[in-house]
């Protein structure tokens, strides 16, 4: 019986799932783990959840018996096929701290539920789960930060202060921050499979979800038919210096693709040097302008310095097809693309991101073992022309050492920085333009997955499947035949043509702020 049919019966009940509805083996497992699934209403989301929902109740800290229970929101989206396969797909969100329910429309549009039911669970601490470890204090800091120098010590002090305020509030509410880690997260998914009485399922995760999926595969291999990991962050190597390696790899691929296109090469002949020059120029002389956020609204004050520029580039705040043009415009006194991209941060959705999980994972699993001096050293190796003030901060994780000192969770690297060795069929998908988790790290993870298939999609950045029809086809083929997916569509792929702006284009710079 397909999961959707089973879920209809399960979710039609009122109150907790009775133990008599589960097999004796599952009842014993659930009794030992103190986990259970409770049907419930789907949470309000921008687009209604196209399925049934409920909560998985699990211990906050499995090492402390009798401690408090937390509730993780679960959605079950039925397969589009009238004759779905019996083994569903379970999705593992990125971040850590991302909104899994908010990404359901992207998963459905990408056909992840084409032939199988799709299960989405909000990870512990994240939006729609209880407790929700959001940090409005940090959201408000980032809204303010668009008008501040990116890597100035004073900016870092504000971030640390906001982080401490959030930590103090969460711990005063009784949250055990050390329990919000990848090991417990993986155990939640193992409990979910058993609670839903699923014999076998397929795992699909992206970004941090690949770190989680590989940990899950290592610790709880039972019942896993296949694993697909997209934009890979191997648990063994995720650390702050590593982020500079990924940034270099992704940007080198972007610049090489421009070099390979005659029009782009002619119009933008030396993009690596242009980027270096602009980072150096803006770090020495930050630009303060008024810029309108992309979503509209009143213009906001924006500071563009070298650190902000590099952060926007790594974050793909400018689409890759437009990046050569945006850098050239910046070099010629037209910073509007970057200014507007920076202004987008002025209106975050307060409470959407689960900073509690993000900081607890980063500070216990990614930060320990490497010094800030090593971040700088690896940054210099990858971007030798950049100022040290830029290179001292890991891309996408500025001031993380200072943040982790106040977040104060135990070092877990000895149990987390471990290779996953497995013969479960695996699909490893990477985008060549990914500057957050470089494509080579997919191959790194695959070396200990003996039945893995590695696919690189040219010209795509972070989180490949929603952006690539070919990747969607490969994933569907893999789910049908995990040991022999069809990769034919990859053969003739090439990056899309870059945007080529007319030469001598008129200036349209955002309004400079009057000092």
């Amino acid at each position: 019986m397909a999961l959707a049919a089973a879920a209809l019966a399960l979710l039609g009940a009122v109150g907790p799932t009775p133990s008599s509805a589960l097999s004796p083996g599952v009842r014993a497992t659930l009794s030992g783990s103190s986990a259970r699934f409770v049907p419930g209403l789907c949470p309000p989301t921008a687009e209604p959840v196209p399925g049934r929902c409920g909560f998985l109740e699990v211990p906050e800290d499995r090492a402390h018996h009798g401690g408090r229970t937390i509730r993780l929101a679960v959605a079950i989206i039925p397969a589009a096929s009238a004759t779905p396969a019996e083994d569903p797909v379970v999705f593992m969100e990125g971040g850590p701290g991302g909104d899994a329910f908010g990404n359901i429309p992207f998963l459905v549009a990408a056909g992840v539920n084409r032939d199988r039911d799709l299960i989405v669970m909000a990870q512990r601490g994240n939006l729609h789960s209880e407790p929700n470890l959001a940090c409005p204090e940090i959201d408000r800091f980032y809204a303010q930060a668009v008008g501040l120098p990116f890597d100035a010590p004073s900016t870092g002090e504000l971030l640390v202060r906001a982080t401490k305020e959030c930590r103090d509030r969460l711990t005063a509410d009784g949250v055990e921050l050390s329990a919000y880690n990848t090991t417990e997260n993986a155990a939640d998914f193992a409990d979910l499979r058993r609670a839903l009485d699923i014999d076998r399922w397929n795992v699909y995760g992206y970004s941090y979800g690949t770190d989680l999926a590989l940990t899950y595969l290592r610790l709880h291999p039972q019942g896993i038919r296949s694993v697909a990991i997209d934009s890979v962050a191997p648990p063994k190597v995720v650390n702050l210096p590593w982020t500079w390696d990924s940034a270099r790899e992704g940007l080198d691929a972007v610049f090489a693709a421009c070099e390979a296109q005659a029009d782009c090469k002619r119009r933008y002949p030396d993009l690596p040097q242009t980027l270096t020059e602009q980072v150096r120029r803006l770090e020495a002389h930050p630009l303060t302008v008024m810029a309108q956020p992309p979503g509209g609204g009143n213009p906001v004050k924006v500071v563009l310095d070298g650190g902000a520029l590099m952060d926007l580039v790594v974050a793909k705040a400018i689409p890759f097809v437009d990046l050569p043009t945006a850098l050239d415009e910046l070099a010629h006194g037209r910073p509007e693309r970057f200014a507007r991209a920076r202004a987008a941060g002025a209106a975050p959705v307060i409470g959407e991101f689960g900073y509690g999980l993000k900081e607890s994972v980063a500070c216990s699993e990614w930060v320990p073992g490497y010094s800030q001096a090593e971040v700088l050293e690896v940054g210099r190796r990858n971007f030798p022309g950049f100022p040290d003030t830029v290179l001292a901060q890991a891309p996408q994780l500025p001031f993380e050492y200072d943040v982790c000192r106040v977040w104060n969770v135990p070092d877990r690297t000895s149990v987390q920085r471990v290779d996953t060795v497995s013969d479960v069929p695996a699909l490893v998908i990477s985008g060549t333009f990914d500057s957050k988790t470089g494509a080579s790290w997919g191959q790194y993870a695959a070396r200990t997955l003996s039945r893995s298939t590695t696919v690189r999609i040219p010209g795509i950045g972070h989180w490949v499947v929603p952006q690539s029809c070919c990747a969607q086809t490969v994933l569907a083929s893999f789910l049908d035949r995990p040991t022999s997916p069809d990769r034919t569509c990859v053969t003739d792929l090439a990056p899309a043509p870059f945007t080529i702006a007319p030469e001598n284009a008129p200036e349209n710079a955002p309004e400079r702020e009057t000092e």
Side-chain angles (χ1 to χ4, degrees), residues 129-382:
S129 288
E130 301 170 6
N132 175 9
L133 271 56
C135 290
E137 303 90 342
I138 297 178
D139 289 325
R140 288 190 288 268
F141 159 77
Y142 280 117
Q144 176 188 6
V146 301
L148 302 173
F150 182 84
D151 45 37
S154 56
T155 302
E157 290 169 4
L158 291 175
L159 174 57
V160 170
R161 183 186 306 166
T163 302
K164 185 176 186 304
E165 289 174 357
C166 180
R167 187 192 195 283
D168 291 346
R169 177 177 51 78
L170 294 176
T171 54
D173 288 341
V175 174
E176 180 53 61
L177 292 176
S178 63
Y180 292 79
N181 59 62
T182 305
T183 300
E184 294 282 3
N185 210 351
D188 294 338
F189 281 89
D191 278 340
L192 178 64
R193 183 184 68 82
R194 291 188 291 262
L196 293 178
D197 201 12
I198 297 169
D199 289 332
R200 295 198 308 166
W201 65 7
N202 306 277
V203 177
Y204 170 53
Y206 88 97
S207 195
Y208 167 70
T210 68
D211 186 339
L212 173 58
L214 290 168
T215 301
Y216 172 61
L217 177 61
R218 175 170 60 88
L219 297 179
H220 306 279
Q222 304 84 3
I224 302 177
R225 174 178 177 265
S226 71
V227 175
I229 49 177
D230 178 339
S231 306
V232 184
K236 181 69 176 288
V237 300
V238 178
N239 56 66
L240 295 194
W242 168 82
T243 59
W244 281 122
D245 291 327
S246 287
R248 177 80 274 173
E249 181 179 1
L251 290 178
D252 278 351
V254 174
F255 297 154
C258 177
E259 183 80 7
Q261 295 179 16
D263 288 345
C264 193
K265 179 179 180 179
R266 176 191 61 79
R267 184 71 174 82
Y268 310 116
D270 196 351
L271 286 174
Q273 183 61 28
T274 300
L275 175 62
T276 298
E277 289 174 353
Q278 295 314 302
V279 168
R280 293 179 63 87
R281 178 178 70 86
L282 289 175
E283 191 68 1
H285 304 288
L287 179 65
T288 301
V289 299
M290 299 297 293
Q292 185 179 46
N298 295 326
V300 297
K301 174 187 172 182
V302 164
V303 173
L304 275 178
D305 56 11
L309 173 60
M310 192 58 186
D311 193 69
L312 292 168
V313 170
V314 171
K316 203 183 75 170
I318 304 293
F320 287 124
V321 293
D322 297 331
L323 183 59
T325 293
L327 287 171
D328 183 73
E329 289 172 348
L330 181 64
H332 288 87
R334 300 192 299 276
E336 60 268 24
R337 291 184 196 254
F338 286 107
R340 287 172 184 157
R342 180 91 161 119
V349 179
I350 303 296
E352 180 178 80
F353 193 81
Y355 286 101
L357 179 63
K358 180 253 185 179
E359 296 304 348
S360 291
V361 168
C363 295
S364 65
E365 301 173 12
W366 301 352
V367 170
Y370 294 89
S371 68
Q372 194 153 13
E374 288 171 295
V375 173
L376 177 59
E377 178 185 351
V378 176
R380 287 171 173 168
R381 185 183 70 220
N382 283 288

